[in-house]
Amino acid sequence: YQHFKMQDFSEIRKTSHDKETSYIHLNHYQGPSLVPSSSLVFRFPFGKQSDCEDIHNKLEELRKKSSAEIMKGSDHLDHDCIVFRKEINDNSEVMQHESCKDCGNFFKGKLQTGINCLTCNDLFHKECFASNKDDDYGTAEEKFDDPEDLLITPTDSREDFYLGEMDQKNANKKLKPKRRGTFIVRFSKDRFVISKKPHKNDPIRKEYDHLPVSTVTLTGEKWIYLEKGFAFKNIDDLIKHHRKSHKLYFPINSPDSELTERNSMTEEIQTIAPERRQTNNIPQINVEEPNNSKDEFMHGDISKEDAEERLTDKAEGTFLVRHNNGTYKLSMVLPNSRKFKHSMIHHTEGKFSLTNQKKFDSLKDLVDNYMNVSPKNK
């Protein structure tokens, strides 16, 4: 059995991916990264929306009780304070990202929580608010270097990793002779993309990985982000923040990125213990047994631009199915023209269809049909 404590969850979030399925996410973050092994998902199928709402409210009530007591550190013993909570709305154009007055770090997750000191008129992380500064002198525990820190090659400027406008195919060519952990930043289709050759420490098990950087407007200014909740004004600050979390060890123009006889012997060495590495195995509790499978064609909640990025340089007829804004969509590479086509998949009365004439019980049935029949019968 695996046990969870309510106070360990960074956020409790309710989502609805379509009209038939609702989810409650209990997420635990470590820095900017989700820790799947300490997170949990409840799945509610069609007809269970009221149960989903009821359980969500009860979980929120339990979490409020678990954090009701505020521990005061030496700087706030006589201060008045309350618990601070703020939810970041995906649909909001303006998202205020608060930071801790003591350590300067952002509050993490979509549901930001901390302590609002009414006397100081500032926000604090709970652990920062509870720290006893008077006891820190002379009692700090000895700290040891993290072996992973030794892998991160410092950068002097953007020129160390930025290669300008470049497509995915050429990025792969640049990375091929380099050692694992090497990364580049390139510009493709009006956005920055981080391309890397995953290190042994990286949970990504692909030869190359390409991470598109998104843009958002906050208080009238453009910011860029790799993960929601952490936005930056420029690519240099974004890379600096994500070097360790995304295993961006060696900038491509650094001598450390070269695969030499000496460092080739360390290519298979893993410096992070297996239990520290993130996996995608987030425990999921199904209220009713789902009737779905892990299909290779499903790419989840990605945008049209992300789909085209993944399909770039693929053979004609290559396709993927994505799901965003409550709708399933089919994206594919067209023959000859090398352009892309995006079609909406209709989902009505439990049936899936592309034309509303031929309907199928599942996405897999629909995909199998169009993969195995001649074009004139599609």
Side-chain angles (χ1 to χ4, degrees):
Y1 295 94
Q2 185 173 358
H3 300 276
F4 297 87
K5 293 182 179 180
M6 289 302 300
Q7 58 264 36
D8 292 339
F9 292 119
S10 307
E11 67 171 4
I12 298 177
R13 184 161 50 97
K14 181 162 64 73
T15 63
S16 179
H17 290 185
D18 50 55
K19 294 182 179 180
E20 297 185 358
T21 309
S22 300
Y23 298 85
I24 296 177
H25 304 262
L26 290 84
N27 293 331
H28 173 66
Y29 289 91
Q30 198 171 62
S33 303
L34 176 70
V35 183
S37 60
S38 301
S39 301
L40 193 62
V41 178
F42 288 88
R43 179 184 182 277
F44 297 82
F46 180 76
K48 295 288 183 177
Q49 283 82 353
S50 60
D51 292 345
C52 178
E53 186 70 29
D54 184 50
I55 292 176
H56 176 262
N57 293 337
K58 288 179 179 178
L59 289 172
E60 280 287 6
E61 184 178 352
L62 283 173
R63 193 159 74 106
K64 288 179 181 178
K65 289 181 179 179
S66 69
S67 57
E69 183 180 358
I70 299 177
M71 303 297 294
K72 297 181 180 180
S74 56
D75 288 349
H76 307 279
L77 291 177
D78 300 323
H79 293 188
D80 294 325
C81 55
I82 57 175
V83 174
F84 158 77
R85 288 186 178 85
K86 182 177 181 179
E87 184 173 0
I88 299 297
N89 186 353
D90 281 340
N91 298 321
S92 175
E93 292 187 1
V94 179
M95 299 186 290
Q96 297 293 334
H97 297 271
E98 308 289 356
S99 60
C100 173
K101 179 66 176 179
D102 188 55
C103 68
N105 292 326
F106 286 110
F107 289 92
K108 53 195 175 185
K110 291 188 65 178
L111 183 60
Q112 302 175 356
T113 61
I115 303 299
N116 182 3
C117 182
L118 303 178
T119 305
C120 300
N121 194 29
D122 280 311
L123 302 175
F124 299 85
H125 290 125
K126 290 181 181 179
E127 55 272 21
C128 294
F129 192 78
S131 64
N132 292 311
K133 302 296 191 300
D134 296 339
D135 295 338
D136 289 343
Y137 180 76
T139 61
E141 294 183 4
E142 183 179 2
K143 294 184 178 180
F144 298 92
D145 290 333
D146 186 337
E148 188 179 9
D149 293 334
L150 303 177
L151 290 170
I152 298 176
T153 299
T155 57
D156 296 323
S157 69
R158 185 182 297 191
E159 294 178 356
D160 291 338
F161 53 79
Y162 184 60
L163 299 185
E165 191 161 343
M166 180 180 295
D167 59 21
Q168 182 174 311
K169 184 177 181 179
N170 283 312
N172 292 345
K173 287 182 179 179
K174 290 284 186 181
L175 290 168
K176 186 175 181 179
K178 301 295 183 177
R179 64 189 297 199
R180 296 186 184 186
T182 298
F183 73 97
I184 64 177
V185 176
R186 56 190 176 90
F187 202 74
S188 176
K189 298 180 180 177
D190 298 324
R191 63 164 62 182
F192 287 110
V193 179
I194 301 171
S195 298
K196 63 179 180 177
K197 189 175 183 179
H199 190 271
K200 193 71 172 179
N201 288 336
D202 204 315
I204 302 298
R205 284 292 170 263
K206 297 186 291 186
E207 186 68 21
Y208 309 103
D209 193 28
H210 304 276
L211 309 171
V213 176
S214 301
T215 303
V216 66
T217 300
L218 305 173
T219 60
E221 294 183 306
K222 284 190 175 181
W223 295 70
I224 57 175
Y225 67 92
L226 198 56
E227 296 177 341
K228 290 182 179 179
F230 298 89
F232 304 89
K233 288 290 293 180
N234 57 66
I235 192 65
D236 306 81
D237 290 341
L238 182 145
I239 291 296
K240 181 179 179 180
H241 181 82
H242 290 294
R243 289 289 300 274
K244 190 170 183 178
S245 63
H246 285 70
K247 317 306 176 194
L248 308 176
Y249 294 152
F250 315 116
I252 193 161
N253 289 329
S254 164
D256 289 339
S257 71
E258 300 297 331
L259 187 58
T260 64
E261 183 178 354
R262 181 179 178 182
N263 64 36
S264 64
M265 295 184 293
T266 66
E267 283 293 275
E268 299 301 321
I269 296 178
Q270 178 180 318
T271 61
I272 300 178
E275 60 270 16
R276 281 186 55 194
R277 297 175 61 212
Q278 294 186 21
T279 67
N280 294 321
N281 298 323
I282 301 179
Q284 182 177 118
I285 295 177
N286 295 310
V287 178
E288 287 185 9
E289 189 67 25
N291 184 24
N292 61 357
S293 59
K294 300 291 184 181
D295 295 308
E296 293 183 357
F297 57 79
M298 278 300 303
H299 282 241
D301 186 1
I302 63 172
S303 65
K304 172 184 174 182
E305 291 76 18
D306 291 335
E308 292 183 357
E309 176 76 24
R310 298 185 186 188
L311 292 171
T312 297
D313 298 321
K314 301 296 184 183
E316 63 181 52
T318 302
F319 72 95
L320 60 82
V321 175
R322 53 194 175 92
H323 182 274
N324 57 9
N325 299 324
T327 306
Y328 289 101
K329 301 178 181 72
L330 176 71
S331 301
M332 68 176 294
V333 180
L334 292 175
N336 302 324
S337 65
R338 310 301 296 170
K339 294 183 179 180
F340 307 100
K341 180 180 180 181
H342 304 275
S343 304
M344 182 180 297
I345 298 177
H346 303 283
H347 187 204
T348 55
E349 298 180 356
K351 299 286 186 179
F352 297 88
S353 66
L354 278 173
T355 63
N356 273 331
Q357 296 179 355
K358 190 176 288 187
K359 299 184 178 181
F360 304 90
D361 293 328
S362 68
L363 282 172
K364 189 175 187 309
D365 290 343
L366 180 146
V367 169
D368 288 345
N369 173 78
Y370 288 102
M371 286 182 66
N372 293 299
V373 299
S374 61
K376 66 180 181 180
N377 292 326
K378 291 184 178 182

